[in-house]
mmCIF file of all heavy atoms in Angstrom:
data_model
loop_
_atom_site.group_PDB
_atom_site.id
_atom_site.type_symbol
_atom_site.label_atom_id
_atom_site.label_comp_id
_atom_site.label_asym_id
_atom_site.label_seq_id
_atom_site.Cartn_x
_atom_site.Cartn_y
_atom_site.Cartn_z
ATOM 1 N N GLN A 1 23.768 -10.657 23.723
ATOM 2 C CA GLN A 1 23.976 -12.004 24.157
ATOM 3 C C GLN A 1 23.196 -12.992 23.137
ATOM 4 O O GLN A 1 23.665 -14.073 22.868
ATOM 5 C CB GLN A 1 23.426 -12.195 25.509
ATOM 6 C CG GLN A 1 24.224 -11.579 26.607
ATOM 7 C CD GLN A 1 23.633 -11.588 27.998
ATOM 8 O OE1 GLN A 1 22.446 -11.829 28.168
ATOM 9 N NE2 GLN A 1 24.443 -11.311 28.993
ATOM 10 N N GLN A 2 22.166 -12.448 22.489
ATOM 11 C CA GLN A 2 21.442 -13.330 21.545
ATOM 12 C C GLN A 2 22.219 -13.348 20.276
ATOM 13 O O GLN A 2 22.056 -14.375 19.560
ATOM 14 C CB GLN A 2 20.054 -12.733 21.319
ATOM 15 C CG GLN A 2 19.045 -12.865 22.426
ATOM 16 C CD GLN A 2 17.762 -12.189 22.083
ATOM 17 O OE1 GLN A 2 17.731 -11.095 21.476
ATOM 18 N NE2 GLN A 2 16.677 -12.812 22.426
ATOM 19 N N ARG A 3 22.935 -12.304 19.958
ATOM 20 C CA ARG A 3 23.679 -12.373 18.629
ATOM 21 C C ARG A 3 24.845 -13.346 18.633
ATOM 22 O O ARG A 3 25.178 -13.881 17.605
ATOM 23 C CB ARG A 3 24.156 -10.923 18.308
ATOM 24 C CG ARG A 3 22.987 -9.955 18.067
ATOM 25 C CD ARG A 3 23.482 -8.591 17.955
ATOM 26 N NE ARG A 3 22.365 -7.712 17.882
ATOM 27 C CZ ARG A 3 22.388 -6.434 17.553
ATOM 28 N NH1 ARG A 3 23.519 -5.906 17.122
ATOM 29 N NH2 ARG A 3 21.306 -5.674 17.539
ATOM 30 N N ARG A 4 25.508 -13.477 19.764
ATOM 31 C CA ARG A 4 26.705 -14.355 19.840
ATOM 32 C C ARG A 4 26.371 -15.825 19.313
ATOM 33 O O ARG A 4 27.145 -16.317 18.591
ATOM 34 C CB ARG A 4 27.272 -14.382 21.288
ATOM 35 C CG ARG A 4 28.068 -13.187 21.525
ATOM 36 C CD ARG A 4 28.813 -13.281 22.905
ATOM 37 N NE ARG A 4 28.735 -12.043 23.511
ATOM 38 C CZ ARG A 4 28.235 -11.664 24.673
ATOM 39 N NH1 ARG A 4 27.687 -12.557 25.391
ATOM 40 N NH2 ARG A 4 28.288 -10.347 25.034
ATOM 41 N N PRO A 5 25.235 -16.408 19.842
ATOM 42 C CA PRO A 5 24.967 -17.800 19.345
ATOM 43 C C PRO A 5 24.744 -17.839 17.819
ATOM 44 O O PRO A 5 25.095 -18.831 17.148
ATOM 45 C CB PRO A 5 23.707 -18.135 20.093
ATOM 46 C CG PRO A 5 23.704 -17.312 21.284
ATOM 47 C CD PRO A 5 24.304 -16.019 20.876
ATOM 48 N N VAL A 6 24.329 -16.744 17.219
ATOM 49 C CA VAL A 6 24.105 -16.718 15.772
ATOM 50 C C VAL A 6 25.470 -16.773 15.046
ATOM 51 O O VAL A 6 25.648 -17.525 14.132
ATOM 52 C CB VAL A 6 23.196 -15.563 15.259
ATOM 53 C CG1 VAL A 6 23.190 -15.432 13.775
ATOM 54 C CG2 VAL A 6 21.785 -15.726 15.915
ATOM 55 N N HIS A 7 26.351 -16.011 15.557
ATOM 56 C CA HIS A 7 27.733 -16.045 14.974
ATOM 57 C C HIS A 7 28.318 -17.409 15.190
ATOM 58 O O HIS A 7 28.938 -18.003 14.278
ATOM 59 C CB HIS A 7 28.650 -14.970 15.610
ATOM 60 C CG HIS A 7 28.387 -13.583 15.152
ATOM 61 N ND1 HIS A 7 28.919 -13.037 14.072
ATOM 62 C CD2 HIS A 7 27.417 -12.645 15.538
ATOM 63 C CE1 HIS A 7 28.517 -11.822 13.885
ATOM 64 N NE2 HIS A 7 27.533 -11.628 14.740
ATOM 65 N N ARG A 8 28.196 -18.043 16.380
ATOM 66 C CA ARG A 8 28.780 -19.350 16.570
ATOM 67 C C ARG A 8 28.006 -20.404 15.724
ATOM 68 O O ARG A 8 28.632 -21.378 15.220
ATOM 69 C CB ARG A 8 28.512 -19.744 18.086
ATOM 70 C CG ARG A 8 29.556 -19.098 19.005
ATOM 71 C CD ARG A 8 29.695 -19.706 20.374
ATOM 72 N NE ARG A 8 28.358 -19.873 21.004
ATOM 73 C CZ ARG A 8 27.790 -18.946 21.895
ATOM 74 N NH1 ARG A 8 28.470 -17.796 22.109
ATOM 75 N NH2 ARG A 8 26.685 -19.143 22.448
ATOM 76 N N PHE A 9 26.802 -20.190 15.478
ATOM 77 C CA PHE A 9 25.987 -21.094 14.634
ATOM 78 C C PHE A 9 26.676 -21.124 13.282
ATOM 79 O O PHE A 9 26.901 -22.138 12.653
ATOM 80 C CB PHE A 9 24.518 -20.630 14.548
ATOM 81 C CG PHE A 9 23.665 -21.383 13.578
ATOM 82 C CD1 PHE A 9 23.062 -22.517 13.865
ATOM 83 C CD2 PHE A 9 23.615 -20.848 12.266
ATOM 84 C CE1 PHE A 9 22.345 -23.199 12.970
ATOM 85 C CE2 PHE A 9 22.874 -21.581 11.307
ATOM 86 C CZ PHE A 9 22.226 -22.809 11.621
ATOM 87 N N TYR A 10 26.904 -19.951 12.608
ATOM 88 C CA TYR A 10 27.446 -19.895 11.317
ATOM 89 C C TYR A 10 28.916 -20.397 11.221
ATOM 90 O O TYR A 10 29.296 -20.934 10.289
ATOM 91 C CB TYR A 10 27.269 -18.472 10.644
ATOM 92 C CG TYR A 10 25.888 -18.380 10.146
ATOM 93 C CD1 TYR A 10 24.927 -17.609 10.802
ATOM 94 C CD2 TYR A 10 25.528 -19.011 8.954
ATOM 95 C CE1 TYR A 10 23.653 -17.458 10.339
ATOM 96 C CE2 TYR A 10 24.110 -18.884 8.450
ATOM 97 C CZ TYR A 10 23.303 -18.104 9.274
ATOM 98 O OH TYR A 10 21.925 -18.080 8.795
ATOM 99 N N GLN A 11 29.634 -20.122 12.288
ATOM 100 C CA GLN A 11 30.996 -20.704 12.342
ATOM 101 C C GLN A 11 30.961 -22.269 12.348
ATOM 102 O O GLN A 11 31.688 -22.896 11.593
ATOM 103 C CB GLN A 11 31.702 -20.313 13.618
ATOM 104 C CG GLN A 11 32.177 -18.841 13.560
ATOM 105 C CD GLN A 11 32.641 -18.376 14.882
ATOM 106 O OE1 GLN A 11 32.517 -19.066 15.960
ATOM 107 N NE2 GLN A 11 33.238 -17.137 14.899
ATOM 108 N N ALA A 12 29.992 -22.868 13.123
ATOM 109 C CA ALA A 12 29.892 -24.315 13.173
ATOM 110 C C ALA A 12 29.476 -24.861 11.761
ATOM 111 O O ALA A 12 29.996 -25.866 11.289
ATOM 112 C CB ALA A 12 28.935 -24.798 14.304
ATOM 113 N N LEU A 13 28.526 -24.153 11.176
ATOM 114 C CA LEU A 13 27.977 -24.577 9.872
ATOM 115 C C LEU A 13 29.173 -24.502 8.827
ATOM 116 O O LEU A 13 29.341 -25.472 8.054
ATOM 117 C CB LEU A 13 26.793 -23.779 9.445
ATOM 118 C CG LEU A 13 26.199 -24.099 8.120
ATOM 119 C CD1 LEU A 13 25.648 -25.686 8.190
ATOM 120 C CD2 LEU A 13 24.949 -23.244 7.861
ATOM 121 N N GLN A 14 29.816 -23.465 8.811
ATOM 122 C CA GLN A 14 30.955 -23.386 7.880
ATOM 123 C C GLN A 14 32.041 -24.470 8.052
ATOM 124 O O GLN A 14 32.526 -24.971 7.147
ATOM 125 C CB GLN A 14 31.721 -22.031 8.110
ATOM 126 C CG GLN A 14 32.951 -21.723 7.224
ATOM 127 C CD GLN A 14 33.492 -20.421 7.434
ATOM 128 O OE1 GLN A 14 32.765 -19.402 7.189
ATOM 129 N NE2 GLN A 14 34.751 -20.332 7.805
ATOM 130 N N GLN A 15 32.221 -24.909 9.245
ATOM 131 C CA GLN A 15 33.167 -26.039 9.552
ATOM 132 C C GLN A 15 32.531 -27.392 9.417
ATOM 133 O O GLN A 15 33.174 -28.405 9.469
ATOM 134 C CB GLN A 15 33.690 -25.876 11.009
ATOM 135 C CG GLN A 15 34.513 -24.614 11.160
ATOM 136 C CD GLN A 15 34.692 -24.284 12.628
ATOM 137 O OE1 GLN A 15 34.249 -24.941 13.482
ATOM 138 N NE2 GLN A 15 35.518 -23.233 12.854
ATOM 139 N N GLY A 16 31.253 -27.468 9.137
ATOM 140 C CA GLY A 16 30.583 -28.755 8.939
ATOM 141 C C GLY A 16 30.460 -29.463 10.289
ATOM 142 O O GLY A 16 30.410 -30.705 10.395
ATOM 143 N N ASP A 17 30.506 -28.705 11.405
ATOM 144 C CA ASP A 17 30.366 -29.218 12.718
ATOM 145 C C ASP A 17 28.917 -29.418 13.145
ATOM 146 O O ASP A 17 28.343 -28.636 13.884
ATOM 147 C CB ASP A 17 31.094 -28.405 13.658
ATOM 148 C CG ASP A 17 31.216 -28.921 15.149
ATOM 149 O OD1 ASP A 17 30.624 -29.999 15.375
ATOM 150 O OD2 ASP A 17 31.880 -28.323 15.881
ATOM 151 N N TYR A 18 28.346 -30.506 12.707
ATOM 152 C CA TYR A 18 26.899 -30.754 12.806
ATOM 153 C C TYR A 18 26.610 -31.181 14.344
ATOM 154 O O TYR A 18 25.454 -30.987 14.760
ATOM 155 C CB TYR A 18 26.332 -31.801 11.909
ATOM 156 C CG TYR A 18 26.458 -31.248 10.443
ATOM 157 C CD1 TYR A 18 27.442 -31.849 9.582
ATOM 158 C CD2 TYR A 18 25.705 -30.244 9.935
ATOM 159 C CE1 TYR A 18 27.554 -31.353 8.318
ATOM 160 C CE2 TYR A 18 25.825 -29.733 8.743
ATOM 161 C CZ TYR A 18 26.790 -30.273 7.861
ATOM 162 O OH TYR A 18 26.894 -29.793 6.580
ATOM 163 N N ASP A 19 27.567 -31.718 14.992
ATOM 164 C CA ASP A 19 27.323 -32.031 16.427
ATOM 165 C C ASP A 19 27.100 -30.804 17.278
ATOM 166 O O ASP A 19 26.299 -30.719 18.152
ATOM 167 C CB ASP A 19 28.493 -32.853 16.972
ATOM 168 C CG ASP A 19 28.530 -34.281 16.441
ATOM 169 O OD1 ASP A 19 27.455 -34.767 15.989
ATOM 170 O OD2 ASP A 19 29.659 -34.893 16.486
ATOM 171 N N THR A 20 27.973 -29.777 17.022
ATOM 172 C CA THR A 20 27.785 -28.524 17.751
ATOM 173 C C THR A 20 26.502 -27.839 17.382
ATOM 174 O O THR A 20 25.853 -27.396 18.235
ATOM 175 C CB THR A 20 29.008 -27.540 17.337
ATOM 176 O OG1 THR A 20 30.209 -28.109 17.919
ATOM 177 C CG2 THR A 20 28.741 -26.135 17.972
ATOM 178 N N LEU A 21 26.082 -27.915 16.100
ATOM 179 C CA LEU A 21 24.891 -27.283 15.704
ATOM 180 C C LEU A 21 23.679 -28.047 16.370
ATOM 181 O O LEU A 21 22.773 -27.366 16.865
ATOM 182 C CB LEU A 21 24.709 -27.377 14.160
ATOM 183 C CG LEU A 21 25.615 -26.455 13.397
ATOM 184 C CD1 LEU A 21 25.499 -26.904 11.871
ATOM 185 C CD2 LEU A 21 25.269 -25.059 13.532
ATOM 186 N N THR A 22 23.735 -29.338 16.436
ATOM 187 C CA THR A 22 22.629 -30.096 17.049
ATOM 188 C C THR A 22 22.528 -29.692 18.451
ATOM 189 O O THR A 22 21.348 -29.619 18.995
ATOM 190 C CB THR A 22 22.902 -31.588 16.868
ATOM 191 O OG1 THR A 22 22.884 -31.894 15.456
ATOM 192 C CG2 THR A 22 21.875 -32.424 17.538
ATOM 193 N N GLY A 23 23.579 -29.474 19.152
ATOM 194 C CA GLY A 23 23.547 -29.041 20.509
ATOM 195 C C GLY A 23 23.033 -27.659 20.781
ATOM 196 O O GLY A 23 22.585 -27.333 21.883
ATOM 197 N N MET A 24 22.956 -26.861 19.715
ATOM 198 C CA MET A 24 22.418 -25.502 19.804
ATOM 199 C C MET A 24 20.890 -25.548 19.628
ATOM 200 O O MET A 24 20.217 -24.456 19.963
ATOM 201 C CB MET A 24 23.029 -24.599 18.768
ATOM 202 C CG MET A 24 24.557 -24.450 18.946
ATOM 203 S SD MET A 24 25.317 -23.394 17.641
ATOM 204 C CE MET A 24 24.899 -21.763 18.235
ATOM 205 N N PHE A 25 20.232 -26.639 19.130
ATOM 206 C CA PHE A 25 18.832 -26.656 18.837
ATOM 207 C C PHE A 25 18.040 -27.066 20.060
ATOM 208 O O PHE A 25 18.378 -27.999 20.817
ATOM 209 C CB PHE A 25 18.649 -27.602 17.704
ATOM 210 C CG PHE A 25 19.246 -27.273 16.423
ATOM 211 C CD1 PHE A 25 19.734 -28.238 15.552
ATOM 212 C CD2 PHE A 25 19.251 -25.948 15.999
ATOM 213 C CE1 PHE A 25 20.251 -27.946 14.404
ATOM 214 C CE2 PHE A 25 19.851 -25.630 14.812
ATOM 215 C CZ PHE A 25 20.373 -26.593 13.973
ATOM 216 N N HIS A 26 16.921 -26.436 20.147
ATOM 217 C CA HIS A 26 15.908 -26.712 21.198
ATOM 218 C C HIS A 26 15.184 -28.020 20.782
ATOM 219 O O HIS A 26 15.144 -28.219 19.523
ATOM 220 C CB HIS A 26 14.846 -25.578 21.229
ATOM 221 C CG HIS A 26 13.873 -25.787 22.335
ATOM 222 N ND1 HIS A 26 12.696 -26.465 22.234
ATOM 223 C CD2 HIS A 26 13.906 -25.161 23.655
ATOM 224 C CE1 HIS A 26 12.060 -26.430 23.407
ATOM 225 N NE2 HIS A 26 12.737 -25.604 24.263
ATOM 226 N N PRO A 27 14.675 -28.835 21.594
ATOM 227 C CA PRO A 27 13.943 -30.118 21.268
ATOM 228 C C PRO A 27 12.863 -29.790 20.190
ATOM 229 O O PRO A 27 12.550 -30.688 19.393
ATOM 230 C CB PRO A 27 13.400 -30.624 22.503
ATOM 231 C CG PRO A 27 14.370 -30.157 23.537
ATOM 232 C CD PRO A 27 14.815 -28.742 23.139
ATOM 233 N N ASP A 28 12.264 -28.603 20.279
ATOM 234 C CA ASP A 28 11.151 -28.317 19.349
ATOM 235 C C ASP A 28 11.632 -27.592 18.103
ATOM 236 O O ASP A 28 10.797 -27.035 17.346
ATOM 237 C CB ASP A 28 10.158 -27.299 20.056
ATOM 238 C CG ASP A 28 9.513 -27.944 21.322
ATOM 239 O OD1 ASP A 28 9.405 -29.225 21.333
ATOM 240 O OD2 ASP A 28 9.204 -27.191 22.240
ATOM 241 N N PHE A 29 12.965 -27.660 17.796
ATOM 242 C CA PHE A 29 13.493 -26.965 16.708
ATOM 243 C C PHE A 29 12.739 -27.349 15.305
ATOM 244 O O PHE A 29 12.575 -28.416 15.080
ATOM 245 C CB PHE A 29 14.963 -27.204 16.508
ATOM 246 C CG PHE A 29 15.606 -26.688 15.275
ATOM 247 C CD1 PHE A 29 15.891 -25.325 15.309
ATOM 248 C CD2 PHE A 29 15.894 -27.450 14.251
ATOM 249 C CE1 PHE A 29 16.465 -24.763 14.116
ATOM 250 C CE2 PHE A 29 16.505 -26.872 13.062
ATOM 251 C CZ PHE A 29 16.776 -25.566 12.986
ATOM 252 N N VAL A 30 12.558 -26.316 14.539
ATOM 253 C CA VAL A 30 12.011 -26.435 13.131
ATOM 254 C C VAL A 30 12.840 -25.467 12.210
ATOM 255 O O VAL A 30 13.042 -24.293 12.590
ATOM 256 C CB VAL A 30 10.514 -26.048 13.028
ATOM 257 C CG1 VAL A 30 10.052 -26.181 11.587
ATOM 258 C CG2 VAL A 30 9.636 -26.985 13.991
ATOM 259 N N PHE A 31 13.236 -26.052 11.074
ATOM 260 C CA PHE A 31 13.938 -25.228 10.070
ATOM 261 C C PHE A 31 13.077 -25.057 8.874
ATOM 262 O O PHE A 31 12.431 -25.959 8.395
ATOM 263 C CB PHE A 31 15.258 -25.993 9.641
ATOM 264 C CG PHE A 31 15.962 -25.369 8.459
ATOM 265 C CD1 PHE A 31 16.310 -24.061 8.477
ATOM 266 C CD2 PHE A 31 16.312 -26.161 7.378
ATOM 267 C CE1 PHE A 31 17.005 -23.512 7.395
ATOM 268 C CE2 PHE A 31 17.008 -25.556 6.324
ATOM 269 C CZ PHE A 31 17.295 -24.284 6.388
ATOM 270 N N TYR A 32 13.072 -23.796 8.398
ATOM 271 C CA TYR A 32 12.218 -23.417 7.249
ATOM 272 C C TYR A 32 13.210 -22.935 6.150
ATOM 273 O O TYR A 32 13.587 -21.729 6.205
ATOM 274 C CB TYR A 32 11.261 -22.285 7.531
ATOM 275 C CG TYR A 32 10.137 -22.718 8.402
ATOM 276 C CD1 TYR A 32 10.235 -22.647 9.807
ATOM 277 C CD2 TYR A 32 8.843 -23.115 7.854
ATOM 278 C CE1 TYR A 32 9.197 -23.088 10.590
ATOM 279 C CE2 TYR A 32 7.849 -23.440 8.625
ATOM 280 C CZ TYR A 32 7.983 -23.482 10.053
ATOM 281 O OH TYR A 32 6.927 -23.861 10.897
ATOM 282 N N PRO A 33 13.640 -23.808 5.198
ATOM 283 C CA PRO A 33 14.513 -23.311 4.135
ATOM 284 C C PRO A 33 13.844 -22.362 3.224
ATOM 285 O O PRO A 33 14.468 -21.700 2.527
ATOM 286 C CB PRO A 33 14.980 -24.564 3.504
ATOM 287 C CG PRO A 33 13.956 -25.609 3.826
ATOM 288 C CD PRO A 33 13.358 -25.211 5.166
ATOM 289 N N GLN A 34 12.540 -22.537 3.149
ATOM 290 C CA GLN A 34 11.706 -21.541 2.411
ATOM 291 C C GLN A 34 10.439 -21.250 3.261
ATOM 292 O O GLN A 34 10.247 -22.021 4.264
ATOM 293 C CB GLN A 34 11.315 -22.115 1.040
ATOM 294 C CG GLN A 34 12.555 -22.362 0.091
ATOM 295 C CD GLN A 34 13.303 -21.014 -0.186
ATOM 296 O OE1 GLN A 34 12.700 -19.920 -0.229
ATOM 297 N NE2 GLN A 34 14.587 -21.082 -0.462
ATOM 298 N N ILE A 35 9.699 -20.406 2.864
ATOM 299 C CA ILE A 35 8.586 -19.940 3.727
ATOM 300 C C ILE A 35 7.527 -20.999 4.152
ATOM 301 O O ILE A 35 7.015 -21.046 5.203
ATOM 302 C CB ILE A 35 7.835 -18.739 3.075
ATOM 303 C CG1 ILE A 35 7.058 -17.983 4.173
ATOM 304 C CG2 ILE A 35 6.940 -19.136 1.978
ATOM 305 C CD1 ILE A 35 6.697 -16.579 3.816
ATOM 306 N N ASP A 36 7.276 -22.009 3.261
ATOM 307 C CA ASP A 36 6.215 -22.992 3.492
ATOM 308 C C ASP A 36 6.747 -24.517 3.482
ATOM 309 O O ASP A 36 6.017 -25.384 3.184
ATOM 310 C CB ASP A 36 5.125 -22.881 2.494
ATOM 311 C CG ASP A 36 5.654 -23.079 1.020
ATOM 312 O OD1 ASP A 36 6.881 -23.178 0.905
ATOM 313 O OD2 ASP A 36 4.770 -23.198 0.154
ATOM 314 N N SER A 37 8.052 -24.650 3.882
ATOM 315 C CA SER A 37 8.603 -25.969 3.901
ATOM 316 C C SER A 37 9.307 -26.361 5.155
ATOM 317 O O SER A 37 10.472 -26.361 5.170
ATOM 318 C CB SER A 37 9.479 -26.102 2.692
ATOM 319 O OG SER A 37 10.508 -25.156 2.734
ATOM 320 N N PRO A 38 8.502 -26.580 6.261
ATOM 321 C CA PRO A 38 9.140 -26.856 7.551
ATOM 322 C C PRO A 38 9.832 -28.150 7.516
ATOM 323 O O PRO A 38 9.388 -29.215 6.970
ATOM 324 C CB PRO A 38 7.944 -26.868 8.533
ATOM 325 C CG PRO A 38 6.759 -27.182 7.679
ATOM 326 C CD PRO A 38 7.025 -26.600 6.257
ATOM 327 N N ARG A 39 11.009 -28.191 8.153
ATOM 328 C CA ARG A 39 11.850 -29.465 8.381
ATOM 329 C C ARG A 39 12.081 -29.519 9.910
ATOM 330 O O ARG A 39 12.940 -28.883 10.368
ATOM 331 C CB ARG A 39 13.109 -29.332 7.562
ATOM 332 C CG ARG A 39 12.918 -29.420 6.145
ATOM 333 C CD ARG A 39 14.299 -29.331 5.431
ATOM 334 N NE ARG A 39 14.120 -29.387 3.951
ATOM 335 C CZ ARG A 39 14.613 -30.326 3.177
ATOM 336 N NH1 ARG A 39 15.235 -31.310 3.799
ATOM 337 N NH2 ARG A 39 14.330 -30.351 1.913
ATOM 338 N N PRO A 40 11.322 -30.335 10.604
ATOM 339 C CA PRO A 40 11.469 -30.358 11.978
ATOM 340 C C PRO A 40 12.741 -31.180 12.387
ATOM 341 O O PRO A 40 13.218 -32.070 11.749
ATOM 342 C CB PRO A 40 10.270 -31.179 12.491
ATOM 343 C CG PRO A 40 9.667 -31.839 11.231
ATOM 344 C CD PRO A 40 10.196 -31.108 10.052
ATOM 345 N N GLY A 41 13.229 -30.728 13.588
ATOM 346 C CA GLY A 41 14.469 -31.407 14.184
ATOM 347 C C GLY A 41 15.808 -31.150 13.456
ATOM 348 O O GLY A 41 15.880 -30.636 12.345
ATOM 349 N N ALA A 42 16.819 -31.487 14.213
ATOM 350 C CA ALA A 42 18.210 -31.322 13.721
ATOM 351 C C ALA A 42 18.385 -32.138 12.461
ATOM 352 O O ALA A 42 19.052 -31.552 11.448
ATOM 353 C CB ALA A 42 19.140 -31.711 14.722
ATOM 354 N N ALA A 43 17.846 -33.282 12.365
ATOM 355 C CA ALA A 43 18.114 -34.075 11.157
ATOM 356 C C ALA A 43 17.500 -33.398 9.870
ATOM 357 O O ALA A 43 18.119 -33.461 8.794
ATOM 358 C CB ALA A 43 17.405 -35.485 11.279
ATOM 359 N N GLY A 44 16.354 -32.715 10.021
ATOM 360 C CA GLY A 44 15.794 -32.000 8.889
ATOM 361 C C GLY A 44 16.682 -30.863 8.466
ATOM 362 O O GLY A 44 16.848 -30.682 7.263
ATOM 363 N N PHE A 45 17.269 -30.176 9.399
ATOM 364 C CA PHE A 45 18.221 -29.075 9.048
ATOM 365 C C PHE A 45 19.438 -29.621 8.419
ATOM 366 O O PHE A 45 19.811 -29.086 7.366
ATOM 367 C CB PHE A 45 18.516 -28.271 10.312
ATOM 368 C CG PHE A 45 19.595 -27.222 10.195
ATOM 369 C CD1 PHE A 45 19.395 -26.070 9.507
ATOM 370 C CD2 PHE A 45 20.941 -27.563 10.431
ATOM 371 C CE1 PHE A 45 20.324 -25.140 9.306
ATOM 372 C CE2 PHE A 45 21.901 -26.659 10.282
ATOM 373 C CZ PHE A 45 21.672 -25.412 9.643
ATOM 374 N N ILE A 46 20.066 -30.597 8.964
ATOM 375 C CA ILE A 46 21.305 -31.130 8.504
ATOM 376 C C ILE A 46 21.165 -31.706 7.115
ATOM 377 O O ILE A 46 21.977 -31.402 6.201
ATOM 378 C CB ILE A 46 21.836 -32.177 9.509
ATOM 379 C CG1 ILE A 46 22.346 -31.402 10.783
ATOM 380 C CG2 ILE A 46 23.028 -32.942 8.836
ATOM 381 C CD1 ILE A 46 22.627 -32.395 11.932
#
């Protein structure tokens, strides 16, 4: 069940569907494109 959202995540990213991606994120979401560079929130990821 945990793996399915990861597959859906990459499908949405491939399609450039940022609204779907944003809906998958928790309010506390943080993206780390590298080990020491946090980008908080959906806007940081996008």
